[in-house]
Amino acid sequence: MDFIRNIDCLRQIAREVRKDILTMLNKAGSGHTGGSLSAVELLTALFFAKLRHDPQKPCWKDRDRFILSKGHAAPVLYAILARCGYFEREELLHLRELGSRLQGHPDSKFTPGVEVPTGSLGQGLSMANGIALAARLDGLSTRVYVLLGDGEVQEGQVWEAAMTAGHYKLDNVCAILDNNGLQIDGWVKDVKNVEPLAPKWEAFGWAVLEIDGHNFGEILSALDKAEEIKGKPTIIIAHTVKGKGVSFFENKAKYHGVAPTNEELERALKELENA
Amino acid sequence: MKKASLREAYGRTLVELGRENKDIVVLDADLSGSTKTQMFAKEFPERFFNIGIAEQDMIGTAAGLAVAGKIPFASTFAIFATGRAWEQIRQSVAYAKLNVKIVASHGGITVGDDGGSHQAVEDVGLMRILPNMTVIVPADAIEMAQVIRTVAAYNGPVYVRSARIDFPVIYEGTDYKFQIGKGNILREGNDITIMAMGLMVHFALEAASLLSLQGIESRVVNMSTIKPIDRQLILNSARKTGMILTVEEHLVTGGLGSAVCEVVAEEYPVPVKRIGIKDRFGISGKPDKLLSYFHLTPQDIVAEAKQLLNSKPRLLRAVG
Ligand SMILES: Cc1ncc(C[n+]2csc(CCOP(=O)(O)OP(=O)(O)O)c2C)c(N)n1
Ligand SMILES: [Mg+2]
């Protein structure tokens, strides 16, 4: 796909993606609102301005890969894949329906553009490493991006995988941490603190970049910079707001896993329109 | 009696496959000396990944390699492969339907001295219940080599269980060709069918010789593929001999015995007796002592066979 680097254009896309997310979740009547909205700018920047991919040829061998390790944020991925042209936007309205290609959590068996199934937290980085090792063996220029949740990194496997990527110096792996501060039971710092994050990843052999995960300028420059860092994997710790873009969803643990009601949808769409 | 190591057969075959196909990659979790993946690591260091003591990460990494078109073989002890990493196998391998081969050593109680913590008695059950998964338990080193070649050419998730100890060689000098999903009749008889997996296949053959001395003729089947199970052969045996004895170095729940019962119960009910480990974990001891302790010897098979034969009229009345 041709890259869009114009920040106004990207903002425009992000706004439309948010509308799609809310609409599809409302239609489905269930699903994960907060963690989808916090990752909109990150995924928009990635898919429209960084990832070398081709919706017409989803299996192109040399493509860059994206793994949504925090698989519950499937709606943001689906909304973006549709907007990229992997399938019709109309299909978004069938999220979670029997027979739909858009499963509740990403499933590579059904959905073009989805590389691996996720949904059970903690497993995406290991798979990213495997793809990165294969790319190295094959001499491919593939870069592998993986989006982690800040609650997700409580999973032990994440740190096994962090150690693996550090050990094998997988500079073709770029993790992005959606650091929205919330998990299901409340604030991450209260449930089980994962900070300090940067020194942990550094100690595992990673380069660490910290950014505002809703600022396209910062996201793009971090993604560019990560590509220049050789000899080690990079993690971009993106500070985000769970539920971002809809004032009454923001920073509320409650909206982690519930879909907007009709009334909430109406208010939210208005708010986005006027933003 | 000649014995040979299944683990070494695995290591050797991996090296051969590695020479033939550059997409073969191998992963281990700090047990490459035991699992014999070290043989591959020596010849192809760039295609061998030691993931350290991190079985969950090893399975996930293997899944990623498969996504990118490699044919990963991931090895560790059976209990760590199927227990510690069960959900990674479920999500990242079976659910994803990826071309990952999990080849585990140290299945069963013949692990010996290390004790119950290291003796996988439930691994076949844990793998057999997973959709998309193929489960194979070879009976000797010759079959092991064939199995590894076959699964390398097969596209899909596979679990192969081997053992720490060497197994008596069964297939030397035969023209046996392993096929996924096909049981192998090693001896014919009309009175009873004995179906076994792994080391127990050899014991079943010994038991059949002993039974023959007493005028009882057994059909002996090597049921090396536990999933997909050979329904045809099970039903054919049920019709032919009217009863089936299953023998496995595994819990009687979840493994071969369960699989056979499922088929006959639904399609052609005949008496089935399951020999194996009964709702308990293993313990430390020498392998041969443990086999006696758990009643997994040819003599035990003979005794169970005779008991089953004696109860036939009563059981048949119950069924009829
Ligand atoms: C292994 C596993 N355990 C539990 C869950 C249930 N679960 C789904 S989302 C979630 C919280 C995730 O929090 P975080 O990673 O911070 O995601 P975000 O805030 O971005 O939504 C949990 C516990 C799961 N999907 N997988
Ligand atoms: Mg969070």
Side-chain angles (χ1 to χ4, degrees), chain A residues 109 120 123 126 138 164, chain B residues 50 57 70 87-88 92 95:
Chain A
K109 298 193 297 293
S120 175
Q123 305 194 20
S126 297
D138 290 339
T164 298
Chain B
N50 200 329
D57 185 37
K70 299 294 165 195
E87 206 230 344
Q88 283 71 18
S92 305
Y95 184 65

Side-chain angles (χ1 to χ4, degrees), chain B residues 141-162:
Chain B
I142 291 169
E143 186 175 35
M144 180 73 177
Q146 293 190 13
V147 165
I148 297 305
R149 281 200 162 270
T150 308
V151 301
Y154 163 84
N155 187 9
V158 179
Y159 175 65
V160 181
R161 176 208 229 200
S162 77

